[in-house]
């Protein structure tokens, strides 16, 4: 089967790419890392006006392919903040069957007025950007949905991913089998959209490395003309291109095994792109002043977020039985 995005989906991707390019996202990321969420929330609002977050609260249900398209662009731009968690929270609330709770919380997530972070069984135990989130939600293994507050901060490889230990507060908002089922669905969505971010991060790293390889000279020639460098870049491109159809196939099926396979492939490709970028940039790749570092430091945390490679392999194998 040959899968191609529709012209409307490609136009959506181009519009998001233009919006994010004009937003000077590297400066936004640095501000977010320092605890200044103002510039990031301004970009968040512009994204919301394009309908990105409303896609998670569509009356007919969330639109996975369109969201995957959007999150590739968010990864390519290096957008900070709990974008995945906000969508996953909207999915969770929409699946609970509690209309009152959904009506109270989901509209703010859809229109960009509110930001959510979320912890789930099977995901990271740490809350992402709880200091920037209006809603911090946590689901226990016992199937209890509670609001939470930010506890002790936790160090992260990516300073723009501000982690903390969630501290449950107040009575359960919902409990039971419906919460557990909604949490499983939200986990699959979080994995899918993190995979999309990984693909975008990998593409950004590759594009910057190719551009650098054309400019950097050694022995009187651009390093991009060296056979070993060409092979390394080609291998990186192939890994990303093999991950792409897995991502969109998973978006079409939402099968947990296919979602895990997409996350495994896209996360590995992004991490490989980071290793290639670091090696070919040499010592300059280590400098925090270089914008490249903003993507380098995202690749591994995103690879491990919402399902480590080991967890994703386990989910793939479980889906084959």
């Amino acid at each position: 089967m040959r899968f191609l995005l529709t012209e409307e989906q490609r136009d959506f991707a181009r519009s998001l790419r233009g919006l994010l390019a004009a937003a000077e996202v590297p400066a936004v990321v640095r501000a977010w890392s320092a605890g200044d969420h103002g510039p990031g929330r301004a970009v968040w609002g512009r994204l919301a006006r394009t309908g990105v977050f409303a896609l998670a609260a569509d009356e007919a249900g969330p639109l996975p392919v369109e969201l995957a398209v959007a999150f590739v662009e968010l990864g390519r731009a290096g957008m900070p903040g709990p974008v995945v968690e906000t969508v996953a929270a909207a999915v969770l609330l929409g699946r609970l069957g509690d209309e009152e709770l959904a009506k109270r919380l989901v509209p703010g997530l859809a229109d960009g007025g509110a930001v959510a972070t979320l912890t789930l069984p099977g995901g990271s135990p740490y809350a992402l950007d709880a200091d920037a989130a209006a809603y911090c939600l946590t689901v226990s293994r016992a199937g209890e949905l509670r609001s939470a507050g930010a506890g002790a901060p936790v160090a992260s490889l990516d300073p723009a991913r501000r982690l903390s230990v969630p501290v449950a507060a107040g009575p359960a908002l919902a409990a039971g089998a419906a919460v557990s089922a909604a949490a499983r669905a939200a986990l699959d969505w979080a994995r899918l959209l993190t995979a999309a971010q990984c693909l975008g991060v990998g593409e950004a790293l590759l594009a910057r490395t190719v551009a650098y390889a054309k400019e950097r000279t050694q022995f009187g020639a651009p390093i991009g003309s060296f056979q070993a460098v060409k092979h390394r870049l080609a291998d990186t491109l192939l890994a990303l291109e093999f991950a792409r159809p897995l991502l969109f196939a998973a978006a079409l099926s939402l099968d947990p095994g296919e979602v895990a396979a997409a996350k495994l492939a896209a996360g590995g490709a992004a991490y490989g792109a980071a290793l290639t970028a670091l090696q070919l940039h040499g010592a300059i790749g280590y400098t925090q002043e270089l914008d490249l570092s903003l993507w380098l430091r995202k690749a591994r945390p995103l690879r491990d977020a919402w399902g480590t490679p080991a967890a994703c392999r386990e989910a793939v194998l479980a889906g084959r039985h």
Side-chain angles (χ1 to χ4, degrees), residues 243-316:
R244 189 186 312 280
L246 291 178
L247 171 68
F248 288 111
L252 285 171
S253 72
L254 290 179
D255 175 80
E258 292 192 12
V259 170
K263 174 66 167 51
L264 184 62
Y271 186 54
L275 294 177
T276 296
L278 187 58
Q279 181 182 26
L280 297 187
H281 277 80
I284 193 175
Y286 287 96
T287 60
Q288 293 187 28
E289 292 77 13
L290 191 70
D291 284 350
L292 178 78
S293 67
L294 303 179
W295 284 266
L296 284 174
R297 300 181 74 169
K298 286 184 182 300
R300 183 167 179 175
L302 284 176
R303 184 198 67 175
D304 295 344
W306 295 108
T308 62
C312 288
R313 289 190 187 95
E314 184 178 346
V316 171

Side-chain angles (χ1 to χ4, degrees), residues 225-237:
S225 65
F226 301 156
Q227 198 71 11
V229 173
K230 289 180 180 179
H231 285 171
R232 187 68 185 266
L233 293 171
D235 288 344
T236 302
L237 176 62

Side-chain angles (χ1 to χ4, degrees), residues 64-273:
V65 175
E66 285 73 15
L67 277 164
V69 167
F71 274 72
V72 170
E73 297 306 322
L74 294 181
R76 189 195 312 278
M79 179 68 187
V83 285
V84 165
E85 290 71 18
T86 295
V87 171
V91 170
L92 174 77
L93 293 166
R95 297 289 182 95
L96 284 179
D98 187 330
E99 291 188 10
E100 181 181 349
L101 186 61
K103 286 181 179 178
R104 179 157 57 92
L105 301 184
V106 172
L109 302 178
D111 66 19
V115 174
T117 191
L118 177 69
T119 61
L120 298 172
S124 170
Y126 304 121
L128 174 67
D129 294 312
D131 55 343
Y135 309 135
C136 183
L137 303 175
T138 183
V139 177
S140 71
R141 294 191 180 278
E144 291 185 335
L145 171 65
R146 295 179 182 271
S147 62
V154 179
S156 173
L157 290 175
D158 177 5
R161 291 176 60 82
R162 299 166 62 85
L163 304 177
S164 62
V165 179
V167 178
L173 300 173
V179 173
S180 297
R184 288 192 294 271
L187 176 62
D188 288 334
W189 277 87
R191 280 186 178 172
L192 175 72
L193 300 182
T194 303
Q197 275 192 305
C198 285
L199 183 61
V201 166
E203 289 179 344
L205 286 165
L206 179 60
R208 283 164 173 76
T209 307
V210 168
Y212 181 75
K214 291 178 179 178
E215 297 173 356
R216 175 76 166 87
T217 60
Q218 193 172 19
F219 307 116
I223 63 171
S225 65
F226 301 156
Q227 198 71 11
V229 173
K230 289 180 180 179
H231 285 171
R232 187 68 185 266
L233 293 171
D235 288 344
T236 302
L237 176 62
L238 282 174
L240 292 167
E241 290 305 314
F242 273 112
R244 189 186 312 280
L246 291 178
L247 171 68
F248 288 111
L252 285 171
S253 72
L254 290 179
D255 175 80
E258 292 192 12
V259 170
K263 174 66 167 51
L264 184 62
Y271 186 54

